[in-house]
Amino acid sequence: MAALTFAPPSRSAPMVRDGARLVVQTWLISRLLMVGVALWVGMTTGRSPGDMLANWDVQHYFDIATHGYVADNSIAFFPGWPLVLRAFSMVGVPMLWAGVCLAVICSAFAAAALYRLGGPIAAVVWLLAPTTVFTMVPYTEAPFCAAAFWAWERARAGRWGAAATLAALACTLRVSGLFLLCALVILALSRRWLGSGRPAVSGASSAAQWGAPSGWSGGSTGGAGARTQAT
């Protein structure tokens, strides 16, 4: 008997490269677009950058960073972000610009984690969501998402020490960190149950099980092909 095997070439590598490029381009263009809108608003209305970037809850974070929890409603805000802003202020960096720069950087890290978890579409949708404007101001949205998304990604990869550290960081920023902890506990218990009651999964099946983007398993699935046997 003779066996003829046809294995089409794998195209996973170009897909990964194109997906990563799409996420980077979306992050850069969306940030530049928001900067352009802010400049246009400033020129047409005469508003200063501080007036546009330091509104609403930003002032609460600045007040806590400067004076501590003295106001009655300050207790609604977690201490992690004010402590970071205060640390930059103590070395001479204005809290406003430190917060803006950190928010922009953290938005990139959050998008990278989403890319690893769900592929380029998940990251692009998050970057283009209407609420992404809050990742350009000294809010906790960007740093919390960066810590929470990477905590989940590390947990999915079995790196529980890093996941616990990142989850603890997320809990210092927003009350939503408590829900993250609950989700991580459920994930840990489910993985323990799967590991004890089901056979181990390897190769491409493992990548699919833990949410790796399409193409991450290299050529493991692309070479399956069609098999024809002739006598």
Side-chain angles (χ1 to χ4, degrees), residues 35-49:
V35 169
V37 171
L39 291 175
W40 179 80
V41 171
M43 289 187 295
T44 56
T45 64
R47 298 178 64 183
S48 66

Side-chain angles (χ1 to χ4, degrees), residues 119-220:
I121 299 302
V124 167
V125 168
W126 183 79
L127 288 169
L128 296 180
T131 53
T132 194
V133 66
F134 295 109
T135 65
M136 288 285 291
V137 294
Y139 272 41
T140 57
E141 270 75 359
F144 174 81
C145 285
F149 294 167
W150 275 107
W152 191 257
E153 191 279 336
R154 291 289 80 193
R156 296 282 287 268
R159 306 293 185 178
W160 290 101
T165 301
L166 290 164
L169 176 61
C171 288
T172 69
L173 298 171
R174 299 178 70 91
V175 69
S176 309
L178 298 177
F179 299 98
L180 173 64
L181 289 179
C182 294
L184 289 173
V185 170
I186 294 173
L187 177 62
L189 293 176
S190 64
R191 290 196 64 178
R192 181 180 178 88
W193 176 78
L194 288 172
S196 60
R198 295 186 179 182
V201 181
S202 60
S205 299
S206 178
Q209 178 183 0
W210 301 123
S214 176
W216 273 35
S217 56
S220 59

Side-chain angles (χ1 to χ4, degrees), residues 21-154:
R21 186 183 300 114
L22 176 62
V23 174
V24 172
Q25 290 173 343
T26 304
W27 176 84
L28 182 60
I29 293 173
S30 61
R31 307 306 102 169
L32 291 176
L33 180 61
M34 286 186 282
V35 169
V37 171
L39 291 175
W40 179 80
V41 171
M43 289 187 295
T44 56
T45 64
R47 298 178 64 183
S48 66
D51 184 35
M52 290 185 289
L53 298 173
N55 289 314
W56 302 300
D57 290 348
V58 176
Q59 288 300 323
H60 292 290
Y61 292 119
F62 287 174
D63 289 341
I64 295 172
T66 304
H67 307 293
Y69 286 88
V70 294
D72 293 338
N73 59 349
S74 295
I75 195 172
F77 302 92
F78 280 45
W81 191 236
L83 285 173
V84 172
L85 298 176
R86 182 180 179 87
F88 277 94
S89 177
M90 292 177 64
V91 297
V93 180
M95 288 190 290
L96 175 62
W97 298 116
V100 169
C101 291
L102 288 174
V104 172
I105 294 172
C106 287
S107 70
F109 279 102
L114 278 179
Y115 172 75
R116 292 176 65 91
L117 286 168
I121 299 302
V124 167
V125 168
W126 183 79
L127 288 169
L128 296 180
T131 53
T132 194
V133 66
F134 295 109
T135 65
M136 288 285 291
V137 294
Y139 272 41
T140 57
E141 270 75 359
F144 174 81
C145 285
F149 294 167
W150 275 107
W152 191 257
E153 191 279 336
R154 291 289 80 193

